Amino acid sequence: MKNTFKITRGILPVLLLTLAAFFVACSDDESEVVIPDAPTAGFDFAVSETVTLEVAFTNTSASEVDVTYTWDFGDNSGISTEASPTYTYASGGTYTVSLTATNEGGSDEFTAQVTVEEPVPAVIITNGDFSDGDTGWTIINHYEETNLNGSVTIADGVASFDESTNTDWKHMGIYTTVSLEPGTYQFEMDMSYTEINDVWGEVFLGDTEPVAGSDYGTDQGASLVLKAYNAWDCPDIKSYSGLATSSGCDASDNPGQIEITSAGDFYLVFRTGGATYGTEGIVVDNLSLTKL
């Protein structure tokens, strides 16, 4: 006798419903995993009008879930993971700044060009290029008021130091007044001379006005700003044309640099003395004093 197993039509629907309920119950026991959409990165920025080279970045990224941020400020140095950082660049220029926003759904990057400019130094000296003749400048004979061995002419955009003899001493100078606030200042000028001998040129800054026929230097309370040339200290530099701070005669760490601790009015003096002003005389131009 052959045994058979039969499912009647009435039992089949009941069995299918039972199985469906079983699988639904099992799925309810497991948490559903939802992957979020990747964020959309974005930012705005504002260059500071008061703090040099500083930029404030405002994050405008969009996302429905938690996001981490990575900033690259484009100068091969600055990075940040803040949402909206503020960054100060080391120098002026145009930088490509990138922001990467990341969540579980992925990452997105946004870039923008940011331009920062270094401030133009304030030029303290008036008529430093002598374009207005001797306006603002006083010519002075430091050696003896009656000594006629040297002379100064301010004309045609330069100050020229000449001599009537190349054997006797002369000591001539020019000076102007400057009003300074506390801070660090840089002096510069152009100068040229040919075959000088037994002569020196120096720049001083003091708070007392030079007096004709009298010396002016550290013994009078002034500060040495720059040793421009000196036939004894720099005997190999007998001819030169270029920036005074680049002549190589001043051995200080920062030629032409001076620190001012108290605000006030000062006298900036260039003076040159000795025996021989050279075959062409000594010419200076473009005197400047800038606050760093």
Side-chain angles (χ1 to χ4, degrees), residues 182-262:
T184 302
Y185 292 81
Q186 178 67 52
F187 172 82
E188 188 60 277
M189 70 177 181
D190 296 324
M191 65 180 187
S192 63
Y193 51 82
T194 303
E195 292 300 319
I196 60 173
N197 189 43
D198 290 341
V199 69
W200 47 261
E202 298 169 333
V203 179
F204 281 90
L205 187 72
D207 57 8
T208 58
E209 186 170 6
V211 176
S214 299
D215 201 1
Y216 197 83
T218 55
D219 290 341
Q220 289 71 41
S223 298
L224 177 64
V225 177
L226 177 68
K227 182 185 293 186
Y229 48 87
N230 189 298
W232 297 273
D233 295 343
C234 317
D236 295 332
I237 313 175
K238 293 184 177 296
S239 299
Y240 181 79
S241 180
L243 295 176
T245 59
S246 301
S247 71
C249 190
D250 194 316
S252 64
D253 292 337
N254 299 291
Q257 196 170 113
I258 186 169
E259 186 76 21
I260 301 299
T261 57
S262 300

Side-chain angles (χ1 to χ4, degrees), residues 28-276:
D28 288 340
D29 292 337
E30 298 178 1
S31 298
E32 184 178 358
V33 178
V34 178
I35 298 177
D37 293 333
T40 301
F43 64 84
D44 295 326
F45 65 90
V47 179
S48 175
E49 296 180 357
T50 57
V51 181
T52 303
L53 304 177
E54 182 182 275
V55 182
F57 294 92
T58 301
N59 198 322
T60 61
S61 302
S63 177
E64 297 179 353
V65 295
D66 292 339
V67 181
T68 59
Y69 301 105
T70 303
W71 293 83
D72 184 336
F73 298 113
D75 58 354
N76 297 320
S77 175
I79 58 175
S80 176
T81 57
E82 298 180 24
S84 297
T86 296
Y87 185 69
T88 301
Y89 287 91
S91 60
T94 298
Y95 301 93
T96 300
V97 179
S98 65
L99 167 63
T100 302
T102 305
N103 64 11
E104 293 182 356
S107 297
D108 186 43
E109 183 181 66
F110 178 82
T111 63
Q113 299 290 308
V114 176
T115 299
V116 290
E117 297 179 353
E118 298 190 45
V120 178
V123 179
I124 309 300
I125 297 177
T126 301
N127 195 30
D129 58 2
F130 305 114
S131 58
D132 194 19
D134 61 1
T135 299
W137 292 93
T138 299
I139 298 171
I140 187 170
N141 188 334
H142 290 283
Y143 190 52
E144 296 172 348
E145 291 187 75
T146 58
N147 187 310
L148 302 179
N149 294 336
S151 63
V152 182
T153 302
I154 299 177
D156 300 324
V158 298
S160 301
F161 291 75
D162 299 299
E163 59 190 5
S164 59
T165 174
N166 61 6
T167 58
D168 292 333
W169 291 96
K170 73 282 298 181
H171 184 172
M172 305 300 298
I174 59 174
Y175 69 90
T176 188
T177 57
V178 290
S179 296
L180 305 179
E181 297 294 328
T184 302
Y185 292 81
Q186 178 67 52
F187 172 82
E188 188 60 277
M189 70 177 181
D190 296 324
M191 65 180 187
S192 63
Y193 51 82
T194 303
E195 292 300 319
I196 60 173
N197 189 43
D198 290 341
V199 69
W200 47 261
E202 298 169 333
V203 179
F204 281 90
L205 187 72
D207 57 8
T208 58
E209 186 170 6
V211 176
S214 299
D215 201 1
Y216 197 83
T218 55
D219 290 341
Q220 289 71 41
S223 298
L224 177 64
V225 177
L226 177 68
K227 182 185 293 186
Y229 48 87
N230 189 298
W232 297 273
D233 295 343
C234 317
D236 295 332
I237 313 175
K238 293 184 177 296
S239 299
Y240 181 79
S241 180
L243 295 176
T245 59
S246 301
S247 71
C249 190
D250 194 316
S252 64
D253 292 337
N254 299 291
Q257 196 170 113
I258 186 169
E259 186 76 21
I260 301 299
T261 57
S262 300
D265 293 330
F266 298 86
Y267 296 90
L268 182 73
V269 182
F270 169 70
R271 55 189 211 135
T272 182
T276 304

